[in-house]
Amino acid sequence: MCAGAAFGGRADRRRPLFAPRLHYTSRMHTTDLTLTRPDDWHLHLRDGAMLAAVLPHAARRFARAIVMPNLKPPVATVALAGAYRERILAALPEGADFEPLMTLYLTEATTPEDIAQARASGFVHAVKYYPAGATTNAASGVTDLRRCYGVFEAMQKHQLPLLMHGEVTDPAVDVFDREPVFVERHLTALLRDFPALRMVLEHITTSEAAHFVRDAPAHVGATITPQHLLMNRNAIFAGGLRPHNDCLPVLKRETHRRTLVEAATSGDPSFFLGTDSAPHPRHAKESSCGCAGIYSAHAAIELYAEAFEAAGALDKLEAFASFHGADFYGLPRNTGTITLRKQPWTVPDELDFGGTPGVPMRAGESIAWRLQA
Ligand code: DOR
Ligand code: ZN
């Protein structure tokens, strides 16, 4: 393992990157950024009225999204995933062009037959691992990864990726160390025992995770959220406790944020866009025991543009947002485009989350890029 190596230095082991089809025009004080329509490889859409309220934000920006299965009850079977997919399609606004890519919630009752069925369905694209109790609706998650080895065998055979919430839940482990400890205790063993299993370490937050993925074989990838590129853990305590900046894995030190920016902007195809946009009602966040989750779907690609621009790497945004994930999942790249304009706008203080107010990322504050119609 070469922990000190720079990102992007492994092109020799990877297929070459295509030249980005990026059109960056600056005319009469207007700067437009046109890129191939992106996809969101990690999204929480919820269900019912909340689904109907948040789905248009994602569908306006992204052509496809990997939809998280942590509903109540969890989306643990192909039949449940199929029904959930129908509800998402029914909730799409008129004329929207958006494809939900479904996932199965891994439980200790998941069988190799479920995996074969998932692969045969054509609409289930991955299986999501939550350590039991790690986060929102993770109670039905897995207590011991070894109980799932038969299922991992089947996933390896059927080429169905394992998406991981990569944190240990051991109460003896400091909350800020839960991801590096997961990498050390579990990821290394998984990679050894299932050398061909496709894996995505979701919403990575630390240098340890970024370096592990960088140095792992090409079938190990990672998603990176806008909040982990734009904020460090000071944002949770800025002038008082800020529940709307609380998510899991929790924000980390500035040094980790910088490594994540380096990874995202490196051009390394292992890293791709996954917002982890996770709506919760305002009252559920502003509580004595608040829910973890940051809602970013209202401005996701705009926020990524800000992070890439700050790093002087706008030319790397398209590959991260529109190519790497599709290539990893073996899906065709999108053909349409979206355009962002450098035109600051103010995010509303709150949004309707389906009959209940919710507080979006950057509420009441400015965002530098605006999505054009
Ligand atoms: O912050 C988070 N919110 N992290 C997760 O892992 C789950 C998500 C949610 O569903 O609210
Ligand atoms: Zn998530």
Side-chain angles (χ1 to χ4, degrees), residues 138-156:
S140 316
V142 173
T143 57
D144 183 347
L145 278 166
R146 281 167 302 191
R147 295 190 178 172
C148 301
Y149 267 34
V151 169
F152 295 155
E153 203 69 67
M155 290 173 62
Q156 184 168 251

PDB file of all heavy atoms in Angstrom, residues 138-156:
ATOM      1  N   ALA A 138     -31.493   1.386   9.997  1.00  0.00           N
ATOM      2  CA  ALA A 138     -30.481   0.338   9.816  1.00  0.00           C
ATOM      3  C   ALA A 138     -30.669  -0.801  10.818  1.00  0.00           C
ATOM      4  O   ALA A 138     -29.812  -1.671  10.945  1.00  0.00           O
ATOM      5  CB  ALA A 138     -29.075   0.920   9.926  1.00  0.00           C
ATOM      6  N   ALA A 139     -31.796  -0.821  11.500  1.00  0.00           N
ATOM      7  CA  ALA A 139     -32.035  -1.846  12.530  1.00  0.00           C
ATOM      8  C   ALA A 139     -32.014  -3.251  11.939  1.00  0.00           C
ATOM      9  O   ALA A 139     -31.636  -4.207  12.606  1.00  0.00           O
ATOM     10  CB  ALA A 139     -33.352  -1.582  13.237  1.00  0.00           C
ATOM     11  N   SER A 140     -32.440  -3.387  10.666  1.00  0.00           N
ATOM     12  CA  SER A 140     -32.463  -4.726  10.043  1.00  0.00           C
ATOM     13  C   SER A 140     -31.158  -5.049   9.343  1.00  0.00           C
ATOM     14  O   SER A 140     -31.083  -6.000   8.569  1.00  0.00           O
ATOM     15  CB  SER A 140     -33.589  -4.808   9.008  1.00  0.00           C
ATOM     16  OG  SER A 140     -34.766  -4.244   9.489  1.00  0.00           O
ATOM     17  N   GLY A 141     -30.137  -4.261   9.592  1.00  0.00           N
ATOM     18  CA  GLY A 141     -28.839  -4.477   8.944  1.00  0.00           C
ATOM     19  C   GLY A 141     -28.122  -5.700   9.483  1.00  0.00           C
ATOM     20  O   GLY A 141     -28.690  -6.516  10.213  1.00  0.00           O
ATOM     21  N   VAL A 142     -26.850  -5.785   9.135  1.00  0.00           N
ATOM     22  CA  VAL A 142     -26.082  -7.004   9.383  1.00  0.00           C
ATOM     23  C   VAL A 142     -25.244  -6.855  10.653  1.00  0.00           C
ATOM     24  O   VAL A 142     -24.595  -5.831  10.858  1.00  0.00           O
ATOM     25  CB  VAL A 142     -25.181  -7.272   8.148  1.00  0.00           C
ATOM     26  CG1 VAL A 142     -24.225  -8.421   8.400  1.00  0.00           C
ATOM     27  CG2 VAL A 142     -26.053  -7.546   6.925  1.00  0.00           C
ATOM     28  N   THR A 143     -25.274  -7.876  11.518  1.00  0.00           N
ATOM     29  CA  THR A 143     -24.491  -7.814  12.761  1.00  0.00           C
ATOM     30  C   THR A 143     -23.078  -8.364  12.548  1.00  0.00           C
ATOM     31  O   THR A 143     -22.160  -7.977  13.249  1.00  0.00           O
ATOM     32  CB  THR A 143     -25.157  -8.625  13.891  1.00  0.00           C
ATOM     33  OG1 THR A 143     -25.326  -9.974  13.442  1.00  0.00           O
ATOM     34  CG2 THR A 143     -26.515  -8.041  14.273  1.00  0.00           C
ATOM     35  N   ASP A 144     -22.933  -9.292  11.584  1.00  0.00           N
ATOM     36  CA  ASP A 144     -21.624  -9.905  11.346  1.00  0.00           C
ATOM     37  C   ASP A 144     -21.506 -10.242   9.860  1.00  0.00           C
ATOM     38  O   ASP A 144     -22.284 -11.055   9.339  1.00  0.00           O
ATOM     39  CB  ASP A 144     -21.525 -11.183  12.202  1.00  0.00           C
ATOM     40  CG  ASP A 144     -20.160 -11.846  12.071  1.00  0.00           C
ATOM     41  OD1 ASP A 144     -19.385 -11.484  11.155  1.00  0.00           O
ATOM     42  OD2 ASP A 144     -19.877 -12.741  12.889  1.00  0.00           O
ATOM     43  N   LEU A 145     -20.554  -9.607   9.209  1.00  0.00           N
ATOM     44  CA  LEU A 145     -20.416  -9.785   7.750  1.00  0.00           C
ATOM     45  C   LEU A 145     -20.231 -11.250   7.362  1.00  0.00           C
ATOM     46  O   LEU A 145     -20.633 -11.663   6.275  1.00  0.00           O
ATOM     47  CB  LEU A 145     -19.229  -8.962   7.237  1.00  0.00           C
ATOM     48  CG  LEU A 145     -19.499  -7.480   6.985  1.00  0.00           C
ATOM     49  CD1 LEU A 145     -18.196  -6.719   6.808  1.00  0.00           C
ATOM     50  CD2 LEU A 145     -20.392  -7.291   5.765  1.00  0.00           C
ATOM     51  N   ARG A 146     -19.643 -12.041   8.264  1.00  0.00           N
ATOM     52  CA  ARG A 146     -19.394 -13.448   7.913  1.00  0.00           C
ATOM     53  C   ARG A 146     -20.687 -14.221   7.698  1.00  0.00           C
ATOM     54  O   ARG A 146     -20.704 -15.230   7.020  1.00  0.00           O
ATOM     55  CB  ARG A 146     -18.529 -14.111   8.990  1.00  0.00           C
ATOM     56  CG  ARG A 146     -17.051 -13.735   8.811  1.00  0.00           C
ATOM     57  CD  ARG A 146     -16.253 -14.096  10.011  1.00  0.00           C
ATOM     58  NE  ARG A 146     -16.803 -13.415  11.200  1.00  0.00           N
ATOM     59  CZ  ARG A 146     -16.203 -13.363  12.385  1.00  0.00           C
ATOM     60  NH1 ARG A 146     -15.066 -13.940  12.553  1.00  0.00           N
ATOM     61  NH2 ARG A 146     -16.755 -12.722  13.400  1.00  0.00           N
ATOM     62  N   ARG A 147     -21.786 -13.710   8.262  1.00  0.00           N
ATOM     63  CA  ARG A 147     -23.080 -14.376   8.053  1.00  0.00           C
ATOM     64  C   ARG A 147     -23.573 -14.197   6.614  1.00  0.00           C
ATOM     65  O   ARG A 147     -24.549 -14.817   6.203  1.00  0.00           O
ATOM     66  CB  ARG A 147     -24.130 -13.796   9.000  1.00  0.00           C
ATOM     67  CG  ARG A 147     -23.807 -14.083  10.428  1.00  0.00           C
ATOM     68  CD  ARG A 147     -24.959 -13.724  11.317  1.00  0.00           C
ATOM     69  NE  ARG A 147     -24.612 -14.077  12.693  1.00  0.00           N
ATOM     70  CZ  ARG A 147     -25.335 -13.766  13.743  1.00  0.00           C
ATOM     71  NH1 ARG A 147     -26.468 -13.124  13.595  1.00  0.00           N
ATOM     72  NH2 ARG A 147     -24.949 -14.121  14.940  1.00  0.00           N
ATOM     73  N   CYS A 148     -22.936 -13.312   5.880  1.00  0.00           N
ATOM     74  CA  CYS A 148     -23.387 -13.013   4.514  1.00  0.00           C
ATOM     75  C   CYS A 148     -22.455 -13.590   3.460  1.00  0.00           C
ATOM     76  O   CYS A 148     -22.607 -13.272   2.277  1.00  0.00           O
ATOM     77  CB  CYS A 148     -23.499 -11.504   4.326  1.00  0.00           C
ATOM     78  SG  CYS A 148     -24.643 -10.738   5.464  1.00  0.00           S
ATOM     79  N   TYR A 149     -21.528 -14.439   3.857  1.00  0.00           N
ATOM     80  CA  TYR A 149     -20.526 -14.903   2.893  1.00  0.00           C
ATOM     81  C   TYR A 149     -21.143 -15.685   1.726  1.00  0.00           C
ATOM     82  O   TYR A 149     -20.683 -15.580   0.590  1.00  0.00           O
ATOM     83  CB  TYR A 149     -19.406 -15.695   3.594  1.00  0.00           C
ATOM     84  CG  TYR A 149     -18.220 -14.824   3.968  1.00  0.00           C
ATOM     85  CD1 TYR A 149     -18.397 -13.493   4.352  1.00  0.00           C
ATOM     86  CD2 TYR A 149     -16.916 -15.308   3.912  1.00  0.00           C
ATOM     87  CE1 TYR A 149     -17.318 -12.685   4.678  1.00  0.00           C
ATOM     88  CE2 TYR A 149     -15.823 -14.501   4.229  1.00  0.00           C
ATOM     89  CZ  TYR A 149     -16.039 -13.190   4.612  1.00  0.00           C
ATOM     90  OH  TYR A 149     -14.968 -12.374   4.917  1.00  0.00           O
ATOM     91  N   GLY A 150     -22.208 -16.440   1.985  1.00  0.00           N
ATOM     92  CA  GLY A 150     -22.880 -17.170   0.901  1.00  0.00           C
ATOM     93  C   GLY A 150     -23.492 -16.198  -0.106  1.00  0.00           C
ATOM     94  O   GLY A 150     -23.448 -16.412  -1.327  1.00  0.00           O
ATOM     95  N   VAL A 151     -24.045 -15.117   0.417  1.00  0.00           N
ATOM     96  CA  VAL A 151     -24.652 -14.085  -0.438  1.00  0.00           C
ATOM     97  C   VAL A 151     -23.562 -13.341  -1.226  1.00  0.00           C
ATOM     98  O   VAL A 151     -23.736 -13.068  -2.418  1.00  0.00           O
ATOM     99  CB  VAL A 151     -25.507 -13.118   0.426  1.00  0.00           C
ATOM    100  CG1 VAL A 151     -25.925 -11.884  -0.350  1.00  0.00           C
ATOM    101  CG2 VAL A 151     -26.729 -13.844   0.954  1.00  0.00           C
ATOM    102  N   PHE A 152     -22.438 -13.069  -0.585  1.00  0.00           N
ATOM    103  CA  PHE A 152     -21.347 -12.379  -1.290  1.00  0.00           C
ATOM    104  C   PHE A 152     -20.807 -13.254  -2.430  1.00  0.00           C
ATOM    105  O   PHE A 152     -20.457 -12.756  -3.495  1.00  0.00           O
ATOM    106  CB  PHE A 152     -20.213 -12.000  -0.336  1.00  0.00           C
ATOM    107  CG  PHE A 152     -20.608 -10.996   0.714  1.00  0.00           C
ATOM    108  CD1 PHE A 152     -19.928 -10.911   1.926  1.00  0.00           C
ATOM    109  CD2 PHE A 152     -21.669 -10.119   0.506  1.00  0.00           C
ATOM    110  CE1 PHE A 152     -20.296  -9.989   2.894  1.00  0.00           C
ATOM    111  CE2 PHE A 152     -22.049  -9.189   1.470  1.00  0.00           C
ATOM    112  CZ  PHE A 152     -21.357  -9.133   2.676  1.00  0.00           C
ATOM    113  N   GLU A 153     -20.767 -14.556  -2.167  1.00  0.00           N
ATOM    114  CA  GLU A 153     -20.339 -15.509  -3.205  1.00  0.00           C
ATOM    115  C   GLU A 153     -21.256 -15.350  -4.432  1.00  0.00           C
ATOM    116  O   GLU A 153     -20.789 -15.255  -5.580  1.00  0.00           O
ATOM    117  CB  GLU A 153     -20.476 -16.926  -2.625  1.00  0.00           C
ATOM    118  CG  GLU A 153     -19.626 -18.002  -3.252  1.00  0.00           C
ATOM    119  CD  GLU A 153     -18.151 -17.825  -2.959  1.00  0.00           C
ATOM    120  OE1 GLU A 153     -17.734 -17.970  -1.784  1.00  0.00           O
ATOM    121  OE2 GLU A 153     -17.436 -17.533  -3.917  1.00  0.00           O
ATOM    122  N   ALA A 154     -22.553 -15.308  -4.174  1.00  0.00           N
ATOM    123  CA  ALA A 154     -23.529 -15.170  -5.263  1.00  0.00           C
ATOM    124  C   ALA A 154     -23.396 -13.805  -5.952  1.00  0.00           C
ATOM    125  O   ALA A 154     -23.493 -13.702  -7.182  1.00  0.00           O
ATOM    126  CB  ALA A 154     -24.948 -15.353  -4.717  1.00  0.00           C
ATOM    127  N   MET A 155     -23.152 -12.770  -5.173  1.00  0.00           N
ATOM    128  CA  MET A 155     -23.004 -11.427  -5.769  1.00  0.00           C
ATOM    129  C   MET A 155     -21.763 -11.366  -6.651  1.00  0.00           C
ATOM    130  O   MET A 155     -21.776 -10.741  -7.719  1.00  0.00           O
ATOM    131  CB  MET A 155     -22.917 -10.366  -4.663  1.00  0.00           C
ATOM    132  CG  MET A 155     -24.250 -10.178  -3.948  1.00  0.00           C
ATOM    133  SD  MET A 155     -24.111  -9.102  -2.521  1.00  0.00           S
ATOM    134  CE  MET A 155     -23.601  -7.580  -3.297  1.00  0.00           C
ATOM    135  N   GLN A 156     -20.710 -12.025  -6.175  1.00  0.00           N
ATOM    136  CA  GLN A 156     -19.478 -12.058  -6.973  1.00  0.00           C
ATOM    137  C   GLN A 156     -19.753 -12.758  -8.302  1.00  0.00           C
ATOM    138  O   GLN A 156     -19.378 -12.275  -9.362  1.00  0.00           O
ATOM    139  CB  GLN A 156     -18.400 -12.798  -6.175  1.00  0.00           C
ATOM    140  CG  GLN A 156     -17.060 -12.833  -6.832  1.00  0.00           C
ATOM    141  CD  GLN A 156     -15.971 -13.332  -5.867  1.00  0.00           C
ATOM    142  OE1 GLN A 156     -15.121 -12.553  -5.422  1.00  0.00           O
ATOM    143  NE2 GLN A 156     -16.009 -14.598  -5.537  1.00  0.00           N
TER     144      GLN A 156
END
